[in-house]
Amino acid sequence: MWKNILIGCALLWVHSATAAGPDAAEIIRRAMDHYRGQSSYAQMTMIIHRPDWERRMRMRAWTEGDKQTLVRVIEPKKDAGSGTLTVDGNMWTYTPSINRVIKVPSSMMSQNWMGSDFSNKDISKDTALIDQYDHTLLEQRERDGHRVYVIQCVPHEDAPVVWGREVLQIRDDWVLLRQEFWDQDNVLVKTLRALEVGQLSGRAVATVLRMGREDAPGEWTEVRTTQVDFDLDLPANLFTLSSLRNPRQ
Amino acid sequence: MRRVVPVLAILAWRNLWRNYRRTLIMLLAIGLGVWAMIFMAAVMRGMTDEMVRNGLHTLPGEVQIHQRDYRRDPSVVNSMAPPSGALLQALQQPPVVAWAARVRVPAVLASERGSRGVTLLGVDPQAEAPLGSLPQELVAGRFLSGADDRGLVLGASLARRLETGLGKRVVIMSQDPHNNVADRGARVVGIYRARLSGTEERFLYAGRSVVQDMLGMGGAVSEVAASAGDYRHVAAWYPRIAAAAGADLEVVSWTELDPFLDTMLGVQDGFSLVFMVVIFLALSFGLINTLVMAVFERIREIGLMQALGMRPRLILAQILLESLFLLVLGLAAGNLLALLSIVPLESGIDISGVALGMEMMGMGNTLYPVLALRDMLMSTGVVVTLGLLASLLPAWRAARLDPVRALNTT
């Protein structure tokens, strides 16, 4: 009961605060547009870390709009050429060694992506955070000369989201600093942290992002972005199954 | 002849008690054997009944109607229009007492801490209730209130595995007819317990219209189940439903849906008979030995009777009567023992120590032995028939004794 009252108070307070401040949904929208632009191309390294081993993969990623993403692995050699295409919430993977494009069935959407700590759903449903949650601005704080917005996102009743709530920290230059995934018993399950923020192509970008589960501190996945270009003219046939299978870039 | 039989009976009876210690041991052996036969049969009957009951419970409705390809590939693509026209009419007439149309598709249920494959049942609780297909026991919350209830009811074991619980939101994921991901969040409104934890982990109940909406299948359903009350007499009425359903739909009875259950029912009697015969074979050695000894001890006596004019046929009859008395007394003792030991156990034997193994066979952790009259009659039949057959040999030898030689044996 006291929890409800607390949330009630928080909401009330937030409401009075938001009257003056920016709209929470708007901040998220901005942050999302900021890190992927209208279209983008990025080179990154994904590091999957476990207590007894570590694995690095270099990859290239293209995005256009909210709903189209193509990721292709370039290193290590063993995995080179395999890729993932998401269009409008559907997801396909291509593995050169078996020369097959496979549509990821719904049953596998909650499985991890390429062995990392990201789930297929994390990869394919970016914009769900905007459409399927209620957003409230919890707090604005100052850090390193920036204003940081702390936003709580509570999924709609029917939203296909297992979390009780997600808490985002977004800097005033629209860099996502932290995304916390809380379960419905108010226990923090996993966190996405921006460990480093740098300037790439004239924009502030989280160059090192780390996703880790709270109950397994030795296990995490890091994405290090080394190069990113925004608002490019991408060929129209980039986000198609044939381009997933036959890289032309 | 009419005066002969009582005399023979008296002779046989008295002979039986001449060596009462041996007779009592034999009686004990027969009694225990008969008890073992009936007890085994009762336990086996209990097991089969339980398996059939559990099987039918997870497969409710003795007759099911599907789209032609559904059983081969139970996906949302192979769904059917809800019953209409002749089929609807046939379903609304006796002997059908209840029918329900449901959506039944494979799905994945995910919580914050895990996900598992399940069978999603989109049901209309009002129609399913008379079929007895809904979970019998709710441990928390409530069942769905109607076909448009937006909640979910899941099994206790599944809730434990996914570390979720009553009032929590979970996500169901499946595929729509165009192979797109179809998913939605839903709140757990009830948790049920089933006899088997396998059932609890497999079946997930949601409102039918809500599932139809999620999967974008309009008013279509996966299966229609119908029941006429008694699962044993399904063959009498299901051809009529099949005729009404037409060629595009497949109508099958539970005996085809789960041939294993049907076979189990069929072989149960056969198994019992084999058990009884095996037990009796062991017993028969004791029986023959007893009779052979009894004849051997009385060679001079038998020779005297023959010398006095008793026909070999009557001697044969006397020995067989003696054996029959022994068997009947043993049967009475065995049946009584079985009755006394099974009736108190009919409320269930706790076998939770081996429950995991039993569950693979589709059984719960309590075994309910069933004492059936036919098992008692069958054991009596087996013992009397085979017993008399076994006694024929010593009796035959006694009847064929040469009186002169017999009298001269020392």
Side-chain angles (χ1 to χ4, degrees), chain A residues 90-91 103-109, chain B residues 74-77 103 105-108 120 172-183 211-212 214-217:
Chain A
N90 283 316
M91 189 167 186
K103 178 163 182 177
V104 177
S106 55
S107 55
M108 282 175 65
M109 284 315 257
Chain B
S75 82
V76 65
V77 184
V103 178
V105 288
V108 167
L120 173 63
I172 336 170
M173 288 175 273
S174 189
Q175 248 148 304
D176 75 4
H178 309 292
N179 261 354
N180 292 318
V181 172
D183 52 6
V211 174
Q212 285 167 336
M214 170 181 124
L215 299 176
M217 59 198 291

Side-chain angles (χ1 to χ4, degrees), chain B residues 261-282:
Chain B
L261 289 183
D262 190 32
T263 319
M264 276 312 291
L265 274 186
V267 298
Q268 143 87 54
D269 286 344
F271 267 139
S272 297
L273 187 66
V274 169
F275 262 112
M276 289 177 180
V277 169
V278 167
I279 292 176
F280 189 82
L281 280 183

